[in-house]
Amino acid sequence: MSRFLIAAGILAGAIGAAGCESMSSEQKGAVGGAVVGGAVGSAVTGGSTIGTIGGAVGGGVLGHEAGREYDERKNR
C-alpha cells in the first residue's frame, strides 16, 4: 500500500509542477522536492507524521536550491 501512495504522490507532484508554467525554477524545484522528500520521509520512517513533514521540508529546501542553481547556470 505504501508504494502505491508514494507513486501517487510523486505522480501528483509531477503533474502539478508541470502545469505551472508561470512558476520559477526555484518554485518548481521546491514543490517537486517537497513531494519527493515527503514520500521518502514517510517510507523511511514507516509512515510517521514527523518523518513525512521533515522529509517534505528537507526536500523543499533542496529542491529550491537546485532550482536556483539551474537558473544561475541557464542565465550565464
Side-chain angles (χ1 to χ4, degrees):
M1 181 71 170
S2 69
R3 285 186 181 178
F4 173 75
L5 292 176
I6 291 170
I10 291 171
L11 180 62
I15 290 170
C20 299
E21 287 299 318
S22 64
M23 292 174 66
S24 70
S25 294
E26 293 174 358
Q27 292 168 329
K28 288 178 187 176
V31 170
V35 170
V36 172
V40 170
S42 177
V44 168
T45 62
S48 163
T49 303
I50 298 295
T52 303
I53 292 171
V57 169
V61 169
L62 291 175
H64 180 270
E65 292 303 310
R68 184 180 58 78
E69 193 70 27
Y70 174 79
D71 279 344
E72 286 178 5
R73 288 184 183 188
K74 188 173 85 171
N75 293 330
R76 283 188 197 175

